[in-house]
Amino acid sequence: MKNFLRKFAVLLIFLFQITPAFATVKVMPTLIELNANKSRGNYLTTSFSVQADKNETVRFKLYPEYFTITDDGKMDAKPASNDADNLITHARFVPNEFTLKNGIPQIVRVTFTDLKSLPDGESRMVMFIEDVAAKEIMLPNTNKNLNTRLIVKTRLGIPIYVDKGRFIKIGNFDDLKVEKSNKNLVYKMNLSANGNSKVRYHGKAQIIKDNQLIKEFPVNSNTIRANGVFFGSGVIPENLEPGDYVFKVILTYKNEKGENKNLIKETQFHVDNSI
């Protein structure tokens, strides 16, 4: 009798594109940020669209979860939470299940009620869009007595934030250093955010030698949770000649007033012949 090995895989995708083996699903926008102070009443309404390939028919269900942001900028979703900044109990959305076909987009409308009961600062949730029916892939196996079936469910998440009352976004660049790791040079940076609302940054890094710019490249954008910290790292993409260098990082974020603020830090490092 053949043995059947069943493997389950849940794909948690925030880039909003499913593997071409199934379909291309687009969600717009991929992030929703709302300011309750601009509401004319005690509620806010927003929407997003979900669209599949014209040759695909797929049914999705929607459900929200609360989440926090980790020290490395990742989303940590939680099905249930009594935290005051949990948006789920304030959310109403229509529809909660739908079928995509013929490439026609589906509009999902989300309303947040009883805004006055939210705490000052940021509240959040993630809206998950998930396959109603799992997809099954038969994988090739060199062992004729062993069949491998991969059960795949696709889940896409749209983070939703609501700022309310007196909210503050202040970013800090606490530390920057360059270290040797194996045969690579890597940079490590420590950031933090003061206030009661997240800080989302983007930026660039520069390599400088003898006051001359040698190389400039983008730094991955990320999110620092409210009143929290962020630890990030990356590889310096350059084969450098031996010598002394300056590594400079320039990050930009928007404060609570929508003003651009810069976080700048630099550090010196040395390259020897062993790099």
Side-chain angles (χ1 to χ4, degrees):
M1 180 181 295
K2 291 183 178 181
N3 295 321
F4 291 91
L5 177 61
R6 182 180 296 268
K7 293 184 179 180
F8 295 88
V10 176
L11 302 183
L12 181 57
I13 303 175
F14 291 100
L15 295 179
F16 304 96
Q17 188 165 356
I18 304 173
T19 173
F22 302 114
T24 298
V25 176
K26 297 179 181 179
V27 176
M28 290 296 294
T30 58
L31 169 71
I32 296 176
E33 296 176 299
L34 303 171
N35 187 341
N37 296 339
K38 296 181 179 180
S39 171
R40 295 183 178 180
N42 196 23
Y43 67 92
L44 276 173
T45 300
T46 187
S47 65
F48 59 90
S49 67
V50 189
Q51 184 178 13
D53 187 84
K54 63 181 180 180
N55 298 319
E56 281 288 331
T57 298
V58 58
R59 188 160 184 83
F60 283 107
K61 62 181 179 181
L62 277 68
Y63 58 92
E65 289 188 3
Y66 175 70
F67 74 92
T68 56
I69 301 171
T70 64
D71 290 352
D72 57 353
K74 301 291 192 307
M75 177 185 293
D76 184 13
K78 304 175 181 180
S81 172
N82 294 321
D83 289 12
D85 56 2
N86 185 351
L87 275 177
I88 293 177
T89 58
H90 298 263
R92 306 290 182 269
F93 50 96
V94 179
N96 58 13
E97 192 169 313
F98 54 83
T99 299
L100 297 178
K101 59 182 179 180
N102 300 326
I104 300 173
Q106 172 68 54
I107 302 299
V108 178
R109 290 177 172 82
V110 186
T111 299
F112 295 101
T113 61
D114 193 20
L115 298 178
K116 293 180 180 179
S117 66
L118 290 173
D120 279 3
E122 172 194 288
S123 298
R124 75 198 79 84
M125 74 177 204
V126 54
M127 180 67 76
F128 281 120
I129 307 166
E130 185 177 295
D131 284 346
V132 171
K135 298 176 178 68
E136 183 176 293
I137 310 174
M138 295 299 297
L139 299 179
N141 200 310
T142 55
N143 188 341
K144 295 181 179 180
N145 295 320
L146 185 66
N147 289 342
T148 302
R149 290 186 291 178
L150 183 66
I151 307 301
V152 179
K153 293 205 72 173
T154 303
R155 189 169 74 156
L156 301 91
I158 305 175
I160 304 178
Y161 300 88
V162 173
D163 283 318
K164 176 241 176 182
R166 186 172 182 271
F167 61 93
I168 300 171
K169 299 173 181 282
I170 300 175
N172 304 297
F173 208 140
D174 300 317
D175 191 31
L176 176 67
K177 57 186 175 182
V178 174
E179 297 179 347
K180 184 179 177 181
S181 177
N182 296 323
K183 294 183 179 181
N184 295 319
L185 285 172
V186 299
Y187 65 89
K188 296 183 178 180
M189 56 185 189
N190 298 349
L191 310 173
S192 62
N194 296 345
N196 54 7
S197 184
K198 71 187 179 308
V199 168
R200 179 175 290 107
Y201 70 84
H202 65 276
K204 61 184 179 181
Q206 297 177 337
I207 301 173
I208 300 168
K209 181 177 174 58
D210 297 329
N211 295 320
Q212 298 295 317
L213 180 63
I214 303 299
K215 178 75 174 181
E216 184 173 276
F217 59 93
V219 172
N220 290 336
S221 61
N222 224 308
T223 303
I224 315 168
R225 71 175 180 273
N227 198 31
V229 296
F230 172 83
F231 303 114
S233 63
V235 176
I236 295 179
E238 182 74 5
N239 293 322
L240 300 174
E241 296 179 354
D244 295 318
Y245 294 85
V246 172
F247 185 70
K248 184 176 183 179
V249 176
I250 304 168
L251 305 178
T252 302
Y253 73 95
K254 290 186 181 296
N255 67 5
E256 65 277 3
K257 298 178 182 178
E259 301 168 334
N260 285 329
K261 295 292 182 179
N262 290 328
L263 301 174
I264 302 173
K265 207 169 192 66
E266 62 182 47
T267 186
Q268 296 182 349
F269 68 98
H270 179 76
V271 176
D272 56 36
N273 291 319
S274 62
I275 293 295

